[in-house]
Amino acid sequence: MNKIYLGSHVSMSSPDFYLGSVRSALEWGENTFMFYTGAPQNSYRLPLERLKIEEGRKLLKENNIDESKIIVHAPYLINLGSKEKIDNYELAKKLVINELQRTKAFGCKTLVLHPGNHLKASKIEGLNNIVEGLNYIFENDNTDVKIALETMSGKGSELGTTFEDINYIINNCKYSDRLGVCLDTCHINDYGYDVRDIDHILDEFNQIIGLEKLLVVHVNDSKNPIGAHKDRHDNIGYGTIGFETLSKYIHHPLLINVPKILETPYVNEKPPYKKEVEMLLNNAFEDNWRENL
Ligand code: FE
Ligand code: FE
Ligand code: ZN
């Protein structure tokens, strides 16, 4: 089935939890979305029984939403790239294993993970730490959830900034069939890829990694110029990437069926996603939409 799967990051909070997340996505005209199973910045996780998962899944079903296209994002404190603090490394592996279980409990198939930071170690040591960590994780996991390694902008000692580095991790992992990629337009721009040249980007991705490995696209504008190594997302059409380019990522034939997720900032504490989704699906930018929100 050829279909555009477009949604945004949605929060999951008390009292309705997953049911509330699904309601938000539907209200914003989305047929997929991404969520964290708890706070992104810590490892505290409410028990699954509290999260109204069955209610949320029922509502998805009533709306004919394919829940295999819904994405979970792992907490971003997880760092498999460094063994400097061995306790943190051990904890990171356990947290990913737990998130794989949680992802499965929601009926989802894809967990987005930031590859990690090498900190004081060399880059290659960092990449090998990630490979070793992922091997351990998959050895100790009985789900079929895939991990999508996110392309990073290169701030600090972030790993996974280039298609080559991501491919190194995938190729050296014993369970490479469990790995894929999440391409983030803001991150690749900020690292130094010419995100505007979509055909060239996809061609390069295909040559180096293989397009069949592309599991998710994060569609974000960027507050910074190409190569800034910053990672600050902007609203669609307000940053340095621009509406025209971002819309191409939504409609490109090679990306049909790949879920696309907006992670753009709130505007005056309000979620911008309904408007951004509408404009992108219609491939029509509305001048001053952010000012008028
Ligand atoms: Fe991310
Ligand atoms: Fe992202
Ligand atoms: Zn980012």
Side-chain angles (χ1 to χ4, degrees):
M1 193 171 37
N2 282 350
K3 204 168 161 181
I4 292 173
Y5 292 95
L6 178 58
S8 67
H9 166 255
V10 299
S11 59
M12 184 168 71
S13 53
S14 172
D16 287 328
F17 295 103
Y18 196 54
L19 179 60
S21 310
V22 174
R23 280 189 189 133
S24 296
L26 292 171
E27 190 189 317
W28 299 335
E30 306 180 355
N31 58 1
T32 182
F33 58 90
M34 182 176 79
F35 66 104
Y36 290 89
T37 79
Q41 73 279 9
N42 67 43
S43 58
Y44 177 71
R45 289 294 179 262
L46 280 172
L48 293 167
E49 307 78 67
R50 297 259 322 264
L51 301 180
K52 303 204 176 173
I53 296 174
E54 286 323 308
E55 292 94 320
R57 294 183 75 178
K58 186 165 165 274
L59 187 57
L60 287 170
K61 208 167 181 182
E62 286 163 9
N63 285 276
N64 294 314
I65 304 276
D66 177 358
E67 65 184 6
S68 73
K69 299 287 183 186
I70 296 170
I71 310 296
V72 177
H73 197 305
Y76 48 70
L77 79 147
I78 291 174
N79 181 15
L80 295 175
S82 167
K83 291 183 179 173
E84 216 171 284
K85 292 186 176 138
I86 195 69
D87 292 352
N88 288 358
Y89 184 73
E90 296 301 321
L91 178 68
K93 292 189 288 186
K94 294 208 172 70
L95 288 174
V96 177
I97 292 169
N98 189 37
E99 281 305 307
L100 287 168
Q101 292 289 342
R102 291 172 74 85
T103 302
K104 186 187 166 169
F106 286 85
C108 302
K109 299 267 181 233
T110 311
L111 176 68
V112 170
L113 177 71
H114 295 177
N117 295 64
H118 58 80
L119 305 179
K120 288 197 199 104
S122 69
K123 187 178 129 178
I124 189 70
E125 283 173 306
L127 290 171
N128 288 329
N129 290 337
I130 296 170
V131 170
E132 191 188 317
L134 289 170
N135 281 338
Y136 177 89
I137 287 161
F138 291 128
E139 260 151 38
N140 291 280
D141 171 70
N142 56 11
T143 72
D144 59 354
V145 173
K146 288 189 179 180
I147 290 182
L149 300 167
E150 184 163 355
T151 57
M152 303 308 288
S153 66
K155 65 174 159 28
S157 65
E158 271 175 354
L159 294 160
T161 51
T162 63
F163 299 162
E164 286 83 356
D165 287 355
I166 299 258
N167 188 56
Y168 178 91
I169 299 169
I170 294 175
N171 260 337
N172 285 287
C173 177
K174 281 190 249 168
Y175 304 86
S176 54
D177 53 323
R178 297 279 306 271
L179 289 171
V181 183
C182 168
L183 182 85
D184 187 309
T185 56
C186 169
H187 296 178
I188 63 171
N189 172 79
D190 285 17
Y191 179 69
Y193 284 93
D194 183 5
V195 68
R196 285 151 212 83
D197 194 350
I198 181 169
D199 288 316
H200 183 255
I201 292 281
L202 296 181
D203 188 50
E204 195 171 328
F205 189 100
N206 194 34
Q207 301 282 334
I208 296 168
I209 304 174
L211 270 177
E212 70 286 353
K213 286 288 188 193
L214 185 54
L215 304 181
V216 191
V217 179
H218 283 170
V219 179
N220 301 308
D221 218 325
S222 172
K223 287 192 196 291
N224 288 287
I226 180 169
H229 293 207
K230 284 284 208 252
D231 188 4
R232 289 191 65 214
H233 304 185
D234 208 342
N235 291 110
I236 303 297
Y238 280 77
T240 58
I241 299 174
F243 182 82
E244 200 189 322
T245 293
L246 294 168
S247 190
K248 280 186 196 158
Y249 282 80
I250 305 297
H251 297 278
H252 200 286
L254 288 174
L255 300 179
I256 292 293
N257 289 322
V258 178
K260 298 162 187 93
I261 305 291
L262 308 174
E263 306 172 289
T264 51
Y266 273 35
V267 177
N268 301 324
E269 275 112 67
K270 279 187 290 192
Y273 306 121
K274 189 174 182 164
K275 180 53 80 182
E276 290 181 325
V277 163
E278 180 197 306
M279 290 189 305
L280 286 168
L281 287 178
N282 295 333
N283 189 27
F285 185 71
E286 218 177 274
D287 285 329
N288 301 318
W289 70 264
R290 193 164 70 173
E291 293 70 17
N292 298 330
L293 198 72

